[in-house]
Amino acid sequence: MSDGILTKMLPKDFIWGFATASFQIEGSTDVDGRGKSIWDDFSRTPGKTLDGRNGDVATDSYRLWKEDLDLLAQYGVKSYRFSIAWSRIIPLGGRNDPVNPKGIEFYSKLIDALLEKGIIPFVTLYHWDLPQSLHDRYGGWLNKEEIAKDFARYAQVCFEAFGDRVKHWLTMNEPWCISILGYGRGVFAPGRSSDRARSPEGDSSTEPWIVGRNVMLAHASAVKVYRESFKPTQKGQIGITLNGDWQMPWDDSPENIAAAQHALDVAIGWFADPIYLGHYPPYMREMLGSRLPEFTDEEIQLVKGSSDFYGMNTYTANMCRAGGDDEFQGLVDYTFTRPDGTQLGKQAHCAWLQDYPEGFRALLNYLWNRYHLPIYVTENGFAVKDEDTMPLEQALKDADRVHYFEGTTRVLLQAIHQDGVDVRAYFPWSLLDNFEWADGYVTRFGLTYVDYETQERFPKQSGNFLAKWFKEHQEGSSLSLPGLPRDAS
Ligand code: PNW
């Protein structure tokens, strides 16, 4: 094979698949002994979601999981990233609370069925659905001692029950979102914030930073349990996945060049530096002073090196200008408008997302050069404008999303072959349109359209594009993979 052909292909053991999360797809919030999560009542509270809808049904995947697996098999994925609902496994959440056999049984069957289809389970332990009882009992993520112990116990129960078959574990999904959106801006559960119009209690100047540290400690405690008691026999990998978008200076002024680094420090370095390098980025301390919660020596030893790989969720890029008072962006203003007035890329349905594949490539390079670990891209996707209101036939021809994935798949190969970045996995978000948190069902990220009246699933062109692209770019895969789902057009 000539170099030209090789550089068009993915590395041999490259993993790809589609991703979901428990609360966004399962529904059936009140069956088989599931305990409440913090998203249950939050999403039922008027004013918390854009369309006033909640997660009680979602895509009904707790009941329709077999259909979802058939869909995955039709797309020919190698892997499926899904999350386990803590409150199905331990309804009250705590380390002395009973384990729910029905919860174990549900995920166990799902894992077996995946393996029967030759699909690798890629499992997230925590994708935002904290057991409500832990929040009520001791403040949930705000309570360092309790939450780390309870999370480690929950993780242990999962390793015991599923670790014989699951070899890819993610502890937490997106600690920045957990901390900032849940305890700073107050737009995600539990909705705490200093803004009294939004929340009766909370302190946005301190709580997000405390929660961030506690999430890292809980993550690292679970990893310690895995490495000491399970990894020697189960031989899997475990890590965390962080959200973060590429941040670039708006122009070449020194203050805006510095601003872009500050934005990266707060969006990514806040977690990635302690976990991979063993200390906070200096800018975090500069910005927050004594409000930045310290780690003890023992804690930082626990946290440092606690991820076997870099788990990367990314959607877009921003241009950065120094200034503004938003600590959650590192006291940096974000814009999609270039100095010449043009836009970075196509605008998505949600305000924070434009299509800019070069940002994806730049971020891969930045993370590889800074942390030197294999990168697993565990989320990447696009919400098409007005997809919620257009007719089905039109929604299935999701040209803007196809364009987005043409871009990211192109630069993915460039990052691997031209830049030498060690990327090992890629999971577009999401297998299905689903409950998009504070956006309710208004914003759709699916590669598959879901009719929420009938719960019927219809592959979009983007889903078929990705299936075909990976079929063509995987060594040997065209020989062994099943046919594509029926065409959307
Ligand atoms: C991620 N932002 O969340 C989550 O992991 C998914 O559950 C979610 O459905 C997906 O991205 C699409 O939103 C994010 O404001 C939420 O920058 C918000 C942001 C980023 C990621």
Side-chain angles (χ1 to χ4, degrees):
M1 234 191 268
S2 79
D3 265 11
I5 292 179
L6 272 180
T7 57
K8 287 193 183 76
M9 301 295 278
L10 291 163
K12 201 163 150 282
D13 295 314
F14 195 88
I15 293 176
W16 79 280
F18 295 153
T20 62
S22 47
F23 194 78
Q24 294 181 273
I25 65 164
E26 286 178 357
S28 298
T29 48
D30 202 19
V31 308
D32 290 345
R34 176 185 179 279
K36 262 191 191 180
S37 86
I38 53 172
W39 269 95
D40 290 37
D41 285 345
F42 183 81
S43 69
R44 291 176 191 134
T45 306
K48 299 299 185 194
T49 61
L50 270 184
D51 53 4
R53 295 168 68 197
N54 59 49
D56 288 352
V57 179
T59 62
D60 209 11
S61 289
Y62 189 76
R63 298 193 311 125
L64 301 179
W65 64 273
K66 285 188 181 152
E67 263 184 53
D68 292 347
L69 296 208
D70 288 342
L71 195 56
L72 286 163
Q74 281 180 63
Y75 283 125
V77 300
K78 281 178 72 168
S79 180
Y80 176 43
R81 177 183 174 225
F82 64 94
S83 82
I84 294 177
W86 186 341
S87 71
R88 287 196 197 276
I89 303 295
I90 306 174
L92 297 175
R95 56 196 178 279
N96 299 312
D97 295 320
V99 172
N100 173 25
K102 288 242 163 92
I104 302 269
E105 191 190 320
F106 173 72
Y107 295 106
S108 201
K109 280 194 307 197
L110 178 72
I111 290 162
D112 282 342
L114 282 168
L115 292 171
E116 269 164 37
K117 290 183 188 295
I119 299 172
I120 301 166
F122 211 107
V123 179
T124 315
L125 289 169
Y126 185 75
H127 200 124
W128 306 353
D129 40 1
L130 181 76
Q132 179 70 46
S133 130
L134 301 185
H135 182 76
D136 296 344
R137 242 188 276 172
Y138 57 69
W141 287 115
L142 287 164
N143 189 318
K144 174 170 101 170
E145 300 297 332
E146 297 294 331
I147 198 69
K149 288 185 186 133
D150 284 346
F151 182 74
R153 160 77 181 349
Y154 157 61
Q156 177 173 348
V157 169
C158 292
F159 303 146
E160 270 162 12
F162 314 123
D164 55 337
R165 290 155 291 158
V166 174
K167 305 300 167 190
H168 296 87
W169 293 101
L170 293 167
T171 53
M172 308 284 175
N173 181 71
E174 304 189 343
W176 184 95
C177 287
I178 297 169
S179 312
I180 299 298
L181 303 180
Y183 296 80
R185 301 208 202 286
V187 294
F188 281 9
R192 292 175 65 90
S193 161
S194 292
D195 178 356
R196 288 291 161 262
R198 196 176 276 287
S199 170
E201 48 190 16
D203 180 349
S204 305
S205 72
T206 55
E207 290 187 2
W209 316 114
I210 293 167
V211 167
R213 191 240 355 231
N214 296 351
V215 169
M216 283 188 259
L217 290 172
H219 144 79
S221 303
V223 170
K224 185 170 191 278
V225 168
Y226 187 72
R227 287 181 178 165
E228 285 178 356
S229 308
F230 296 92
K231 191 170 174 136
T233 50
Q234 297 183 349
K235 305 197 186 317
Q237 298 186 18
I238 188 163
I240 192 167
T241 197
L242 307 178
N243 58 298
D245 296 320
W246 179 238
Q247 309 291 351
M248 51 197 170
W250 186 67
D251 59 18
D252 56 12
S253 68
E255 62 272 22
N256 291 340
I257 291 171
Q261 185 59 49
H262 295 162
L264 286 166
D265 287 345
V266 177
I268 294 174
W270 172 15
F271 301 99
D273 282 13
I275 289 170
Y276 299 109
L277 308 178
H279 54 79
Y280 283 121
Y283 181 68
M284 290 288 294
R285 197 171 304 281
E286 198 182 304
M287 182 178 83
L288 296 173
S290 63
R291 285 183 292 130
L292 185 69
E294 297 293 339
F295 290 105
T296 64
D297 290 345
E298 205 182 319
E299 286 168 353
I300 201 66
Q301 286 317 313
L302 180 73
V303 167
K304 187 180 181 184
S306 61
S307 189
D308 293 336
F309 48 81
Y310 191 97
M312 161 175 158
N313 288 358
T314 197
Y315 287 84
T316 193
N318 297 293
M319 284 174 289
C320 296
R321 274 181 303 205
D325 56 4
D326 190 346
E327 288 185 338
F328 307 146
Q329 296 178 183
L331 302 176
V332 167
D333 277 332
Y334 290 174
T335 179
F336 289 134
T337 307
R338 294 192 184 88
D340 68 5
T342 59
Q343 293 296 290
L344 209 51
K346 179 78 103 178
Q347 179 64 48
H349 193 86
C350 39
W352 54 270
L353 207 180
Q354 286 196 353
D355 177 359
Y356 186 67
E358 286 309 322
F360 182 77
R361 181 177 180 179
L363 183 65
L364 285 170
N365 275 275
Y366 173 82
L367 297 173
W368 173 242
N369 291 325
R370 190 174 173 96
Y371 303 116
H372 312 291
L373 278 180
I375 298 173
Y376 292 18
V377 181
T378 47
E379 277 181 36
N380 178 242
F382 191 79
V384 173
K385 254 200 151 128
D386 302 325
E387 208 175 14
D388 55 322
T389 49
M390 62 180 67
L392 173 68
E393 303 71 49
Q394 200 184 330
L396 299 186
K397 294 181 186 152
D398 54 341
D400 288 352
R401 189 179 283 106
V402 171
H403 183 266
Y404 180 93
F405 286 116
E406 280 170 351
T408 33
T409 50
R410 183 182 68 242
V411 300
L412 177 67
L413 285 180
Q414 290 171 339
I416 292 170
H417 294 296
Q418 293 175 28
D419 309 338
V421 181
D422 186 0
V423 192
R424 306 250 178 119
Y426 181 66
F427 289 90
W429 181 269
S430 172
L431 172 65
L432 303 166
D433 290 332
N434 57 43
F435 177 71
E436 180 50 31
W437 309 111
D439 280 12
Y441 297 88
V442 170
T443 302
R444 291 171 178 261
F445 274 92
L447 288 321
T448 310
Y449 186 92
V450 176
D451 177 333
Y452 291 115
E453 301 292 317
T454 63
Q455 292 296 349
E456 260 185 289
R457 277 89 158 121
F458 302 90
K460 299 180 193 176
Q461 267 180 2
S462 56
N464 291 334
F465 165 78
L466 286 163
K468 186 160 175 278
W469 191 89
F470 279 97
K471 194 173 177 177
E472 288 170 359
H473 290 81
Q474 195 114 46
E475 268 177 65
S477 62
S478 58
L479 303 172
S480 57
L481 287 180
L484 300 178
R486 73 196 137 103
D487 203 272
S489 49

Coordinates of all heavy atoms in Angstrom, one line a residue, residues 21 24 81 127-128 173-174 176-177 181 188 243 245 313 315 350 352 379 429 434-437 445, ligand 1:
A21 N -26.5 9.4 26.7 CA -26.4 9.4 28.2 C -27.8 9.0 28.8 O -28.8 9.3 28.2 CB -26.1 10.8 28.7
Q24 N -30.8 11.4 29.2 CA -31.3 12.0 28.0 C -32.1 11.0 27.1 O -32.8 11.5 26.2 CB -30.1 12.5 27.2 CG -29.4 13.7 27.9 CD -28.2 14.2 27.1 OE1 -27.1 13.7 27.3 NE2 -28.4 15.2 26.3
R81 N -21.1 4.4 23.2 CA -20.8 5.0 24.5 C -22.2 5.4 25.1 O -23.0 6.1 24.5 CB -20.0 6.3 24.2 CG -19.9 7.1 25.5 CD -19.1 8.5 25.4 NE -19.2 9.1 26.7 CZ -19.5 10.4 26.9 NH1 -19.7 11.2 25.9 NH2 -19.6 10.8 28.2
H127 N -23.1 10.8 34.1 CA -23.4 11.8 33.1 C -24.6 12.7 33.7 O -25.7 12.7 33.2 CB -23.8 11.2 31.8 CG -23.7 12.1 30.6 ND1 -22.9 11.8 29.5 CD2 -24.2 13.3 30.3 CE1 -23.0 12.8 28.6 NE2 -23.8 13.7 29.1
W128 N -24.3 13.2 34.9 CA -25.1 14.3 35.5 C -26.3 14.0 36.3 O -26.9 14.8 36.9 CB -25.5 15.4 34.4 CG -24.3 15.9 33.6 CD1 -23.0 15.7 33.8 CD2 -24.4 16.7 32.5 NE1 -22.2 16.3 32.9 CE2 -23.1 17.0 32.0 CE3 -25.4 17.3 31.8 CZ2 -22.8 17.8 30.9 CZ3 -25.2 18.1 30.7 CH2 -23.8 18.3 30.2
N173 N -18.6 12.7 33.1 CA -18.7 13.5 31.9 C -18.7 15.0 32.2 O -19.5 15.5 32.9 CB -20.0 13.1 31.2 CG -20.2 13.9 29.9 OD1 -19.6 13.6 28.9 ND2 -21.1 14.9 29.9
E174 N -17.7 15.7 31.7 CA -17.6 17.1 31.6 C -17.8 17.8 33.0 O -18.8 18.5 33.3 CB -18.7 17.7 30.7 CG -18.6 17.1 29.3 CD -19.5 17.8 28.3 OE1 -20.5 18.4 28.7 OE2 -19.3 17.6 27.1
W176 N -16.6 20.6 34.0 CA -16.9 22.0 33.8 C -18.4 22.3 33.8 O -18.9 23.2 34.5 CB -16.2 22.6 32.5 CG -16.3 24.1 32.4 CD1 -15.4 25.0 32.7 CD2 -17.4 24.8 31.8 NE1 -15.9 26.3 32.4 CE2 -17.1 26.2 31.8 CE3 -18.7 24.4 31.2 CZ2 -18.0 27.2 31.3 CZ3 -19.5 25.4 30.7 CH2 -19.2 26.7 30.8
C177 N -19.1 21.5 33.0 CA -20.6 21.6 32.9 C -21.2 21.3 34.3 O -22.1 22.1 34.7 CB -21.2 20.7 31.9 SG -20.8 21.3 30.2
L181 N -22.4 25.0 35.1 CA -23.8 25.1 34.7 C -24.7 24.7 35.9 O -25.8 25.3 36.0 CB -24.1 24.3 33.4 CG -23.2 24.7 32.2 CD1 -23.5 23.8 31.0 CD2 -23.3 26.1 31.9
F188 N -28.4 24.2 34.9 CA -28.5 22.8 34.9 C -28.8 22.4 36.4 O -28.4 23.1 37.3 CB -27.2 22.1 34.5 CG -27.0 22.0 33.0 CD1 -27.9 22.7 32.1 CD2 -26.0 21.3 32.4 CE1 -27.7 22.7 30.7 CE2 -25.8 21.2 31.0 CZ -26.6 21.9 30.2
N243 N -15.1 18.5 28.8 CA -15.5 19.3 27.6 C -14.5 20.4 27.4 O -13.7 20.8 28.3 CB -16.9 19.9 27.8 CG -17.1 20.7 29.0 OD1 -16.9 20.2 30.1 ND2 -17.4 22.0 28.8
D245 N -13.5 23.6 24.2 CA -13.5 24.0 22.8 C -12.2 24.8 22.5 O -11.6 25.3 23.4 CB -14.7 24.8 22.4 CG -16.0 24.0 22.5 OD1 -16.0 22.8 22.2 OD2 -17.0 24.5 23.0
N313 N -14.4 16.0 24.8 CA -15.7 16.3 24.2 C -15.5 17.7 23.6 O -15.1 18.6 24.3 CB -16.8 16.4 25.2 CG -17.2 15.0 25.7 OD1 -16.7 14.0 25.3 ND2 -18.1 15.0 26.7
Y315 N -17.1 20.7 20.5 CA -18.1 21.0 19.6 C -17.8 22.1 18.7 O -18.3 22.2 17.5 CB -19.4 21.3 20.3 CG -20.1 20.1 20.9 CD1 -19.7 19.6 22.1 CD2 -21.1 19.4 20.2 CE1 -20.3 18.4 22.6 CE2 -21.7 18.2 20.7 CZ -21.3 17.8 21.9 OH -21.8 16.6 22.4
C350 N -28.2 26.0 18.7 CA -27.9 26.7 20.0 C -26.8 27.7 19.8 O -25.9 27.6 19.0 CB -27.4 25.6 21.0 SG -26.4 24.3 20.4
W352 N -24.2 28.7 21.3 CA -22.8 28.5 21.6 C -22.0 27.7 20.6 O -20.8 27.4 20.8 CB -22.6 27.8 23.0 CG -23.3 26.6 23.2 CD1 -24.6 26.4 23.7 CD2 -22.9 25.2 22.9 NE1 -25.0 25.1 23.7 CE2 -24.0 24.3 23.2 CE3 -21.7 24.7 22.4 CZ2 -23.9 23.0 23.1 CZ3 -21.6 23.3 22.3 CH2 -22.7 22.4 22.6
E379 N -17.2 13.0 22.4 CA -18.3 13.7 21.9 C -17.9 14.7 20.9 O -16.8 15.4 21.1 CB -19.1 14.4 23.0 CG -20.1 13.6 23.8 CD -20.8 14.4 24.9 OE1 -21.1 15.6 24.6 OE2 -21.1 13.8 25.9
W429 N -21.8 12.7 18.8 CA -23.0 12.9 19.6 C -24.1 13.4 18.7 O -24.0 14.4 18.1 CB -22.7 14.0 20.7 CG -23.9 14.2 21.6 CD1 -24.9 15.1 21.4 CD2 -24.1 13.4 22.8 NE1 -25.8 14.9 22.5 CE2 -25.4 13.9 23.3 CE3 -23.5 12.4 23.5 CZ2 -25.9 13.4 24.5 CZ3 -24.1 11.9 24.6 CH2 -25.3 12.4 25.1
N434 N -32.5 13.7 21.5 CA -32.8 13.3 22.8 C -33.1 14.5 23.7 O -33.1 15.6 23.2 CB -31.8 12.3 23.4 CG -30.4 13.0 23.4 OD1 -30.2 14.2 23.8 ND2 -29.4 12.2 23.0
F435 N -33.3 14.2 25.0 CA -33.5 15.3 26.0 C -32.3 16.2 26.1 O -31.3 15.7 26.7 CB -33.9 14.7 27.3 CG -34.1 15.8 28.4 CD1 -35.2 16.6 28.3 CD2 -33.2 15.9 29.4 CE1 -35.4 17.6 29.3 CE2 -33.4 16.9 30.4 CZ -34.5 17.8 30.3
E436 N -32.3 17.4 25.5 CA -31.1 18.2 25.5 C -31.1 19.2 26.7 O -31.0 20.4 26.5 CB -31.0 18.9 24.1 CG -29.8 19.9 23.9 CD -28.4 19.3 24.2 OE1 -28.2 18.1 24.1 OE2 -27.6 20.1 24.6
W437 N -31.2 18.6 27.9 CA -31.0 19.3 29.1 C -31.9 20.6 29.2 O -33.1 20.5 28.9 CB -29.6 19.6 29.4 CG -28.7 18.4 29.3 CD1 -27.8 18.1 28.3 CD2 -28.7 17.2 30.1 NE1 -27.2 16.9 28.5 CE2 -27.7 16.3 29.6 CE3 -29.4 16.9 31.3 CZ2 -27.5 15.1 30.2 CZ3 -29.1 15.6 31.9 CH2 -28.2 14.8 31.3
F445 N -29.5 16.9 18.5 CA -28.2 16.6 18.1 C -28.1 15.2 17.5 O -27.0 14.7 17.2 CB -27.2 16.6 19.4 CG -26.7 18.0 19.7 CD1 -27.3 18.8 20.6 CD2 -25.5 18.4 19.2 CE1 -26.8 20.0 21.0 CE2 -24.9 19.6 19.5 CZ -25.6 20.4 20.4
Ligands
PNW1 C1 -22.5 18.1 26.2 N1 -21.7 24.5 26.4 O1 -23.0 19.2 27.0 C2 -23.1 16.9 27.0 O2 -22.1 15.9 27.4 C3 -24.2 16.2 26.3 O3 -25.0 15.5 27.3 C4 -25.0 17.2 25.5 O4 -26.2 16.7 25.0 C5 -24.1 17.7 24.4 O5 -22.9 18.2 24.9 C6 -24.8 18.8 23.5 O6 -25.0 19.9 24.2 C7 -22.7 20.5 26.7 O7 -22.6 25.4 26.8 C8 -23.6 21.4 27.2 O8 -20.6 24.9 25.9 C9 -23.3 22.8 27.0 C10 -22.0 23.1 26.5 C11 -21.1 22.2 26.1 C12 -21.4 20.8 26.2

